[in-house]
Amino acid sequence: MADRYLHLTGTAPGRFLARRLGLPQPAPLRRWSPETPRLEGTLLHLTAGSGAGADAGARAQAEAGARADVEAGAGADAGAGAHGGTEAHAGAGTAVGAGSGLAEVLAGVGLPVVGRADRPGAVVLDATGVTTAAGLGDVHAALHPVVRSLAPGGRVVVLGAAPSPDDHHQAAAQQALEGFVRSLGKEIGRGSTVQLVRVPGGGATAQGAASTLRFLLSPRSAYVSGQVIELTDATPEPVTDPAAPLAGRTALVTGAARGIGAAVASVLARDGARVIALDVPGVREELERTAARLGATPLPLDITAPDAADRIAAAAPDGLGVLVHNAGITRDRRLANMPAERWTSVIDVNLDSVLRTTDELLKGGAVTRGGRIVATASIAGIAGNTGQTNYAASKAGIIGLVRSLGPRAAADHGVTVNAVAPGFIETKMTAAVPFFIREAGRRMNSLSQGGLPVDVAEAVAWFAQPDSTAVNGQVLRVCGQSLLGA
Ligand code: NAI
């Protein structure tokens, strides 16, 4: 359903009114298209947090330097790897410093990487070396001067390290980055987004972060903000064809006849996968239409059927490279009014069938090594929702599933397991929600608008990339940084 308010605030009088009345001012999001595959502008690469950054004098110096860079409106091509305001503090102590390939990874994002810029399209701040409270001053010094000059629809990615169980100063400083990123996400505005990516230390290379940075620093992540992503030290598989990274892989998407599932199938097909689109026999015609449009193979099948895993395996004789559990239902009622049937059917479709088919397909080897399993949670599973004890339980269960199985599936089968947790997405389901609740759902996030099915699909495609091996056991909220459960 069209978001008329977003349309209205896209006009000059609408913008004026929204400003005067203190109403939300959503910025139209720029999403991926063949014509706009990249962000506009440059990628500003900054570093914070060497040993020197931890003392106040150095901090003041860094801040002055960073400010000078911006005030000078310095040329946008100081060269890859040359750090800007905090250049004096770059170096030792960072887990993914340029020496371990970060500069090379950033160069692969497709934007000119610079050390200074007067209007960057994206900023990456390597804060992995921030180990003290005083060192956090470097983060302020690096971003304070540039945050206002970031181009609309820009991206800020802070690279952090895992908080250490053995060093509470480092843990405090690194945890501080989470509060920082979530707050900046709420205030940055103009369709820009802010994320924290925790990269492993101990000699891991930046290569493991390549697919994540490509996603976050692109129009594909338009509706993802305020997120914390923790990468493992797994070695990424190579991408042989960047234009079709999933070429040669078979992807099965459940609930693919319409809505988010159809968008997932479409994006995976765009990325080169052979897609099998599964949905219940009751929507066979819609499924066949969607499959024909995408060049996919339809598989009419109820995912709760006892032989579902066998039939999926039979439909993909060469094995599955990507398995996307998207099918889901709601049967809302307050617990006091909820008959057992409503409870059971939601748990069965949304959670139990996911557990069952995942176990059987993994055990039987139908999901091949290097495979990717992506399940669908919801922010309802994080925040809870009135009338949705069954649905929220099922979606929280998905979160438990991916966090527990991810590491073991990687060790035993070479497969990653992750989940998307969509917020308010514009689908038939949300179009049916009463007007005021729908409006609240749309505006109660940092981007002041609902997401589109393609936003969820792009996140699934990021998990599915061959070089996303280090992305495992993660739950990515695709919710515009919704206030719910935040
Ligand atoms: P939708 O209702 O438009 O599509 C769901 C699809 O799953 C339908 O085509 C349906 O036939 C299929 N399906 C249902 N039961 C099935 C079964 N037993 N076997 C095979 N297929 C089955 O829903 P939408 O909005 O596209 O949601 C997709 C997923 O995203 C669901 O898991 C939903 O819970 C989740 N989600 C959606 C949000 C939204 O705002 N639309 C928000 C958060 C999560």
Side-chain angles (χ1 to χ4, degrees), residues 254-262 278-281 283 286 301-305 325-331 348-350 353 376-380 391 394-395 420-430 453 456 478:
T254 70
R258 65 173 194 219
I260 294 171
L278 179 154
D279 212 305
V280 284
V283 298
E286 196 177 6
L301 173 65
D302 187 325
I303 195 68
T304 63
H325 296 289
N326 162 82
I329 58 169
T330 52
R331 297 285 182 272
D348 199 18
V349 175
N350 296 5
S353 72
T376 308
S378 163
I379 58 168
Y391 183 75
S394 72
K395 295 301 187 178
V420 282
F424 184 98
I425 304 296
E426 304 279 359
T427 62
K428 270 189 187 159
M429 188 176 97
T430 46
V456 182
V478 183

Side-chain angles (χ1 to χ4, degrees), residues 42-105:
T42 54
L43 195 177
L44 178 60
H45 174 192
L46 302 172
T47 302
S50 64
D55 77 85
R59 212 164 60 236
Q61 205 185 332
E63 186 161 8
R67 209 178 291 122
D69 286 345
V70 170
E71 280 166 7
D77 54 1
H83 299 153
T86 52
E87 189 173 18
H89 310 298
T94 63
V96 291
S100 54
L102 180 58
E104 194 188 316
V105 166

Side-chain angles (χ1 to χ4, degrees), residues 276-292:
I276 302 172
L278 179 154
D279 212 305
V280 284
V283 298
R284 180 188 290 261
E285 277 181 23
E286 196 177 6
L287 175 66
E288 285 175 353
R289 271 199 307 275
T290 304

Side-chain angles (χ1 to χ4, degrees), residues 458-483:
E458 293 286 11
V460 171
W462 159 59
F463 285 134
Q465 297 298 297
D467 58 345
S468 283
T469 322
V471 187
N472 194 16
Q474 299 297 295
V475 178
L476 185 80
R477 292 172 56 138
V478 183
C479 65
Q481 198 180 17
S482 170
L483 293 177

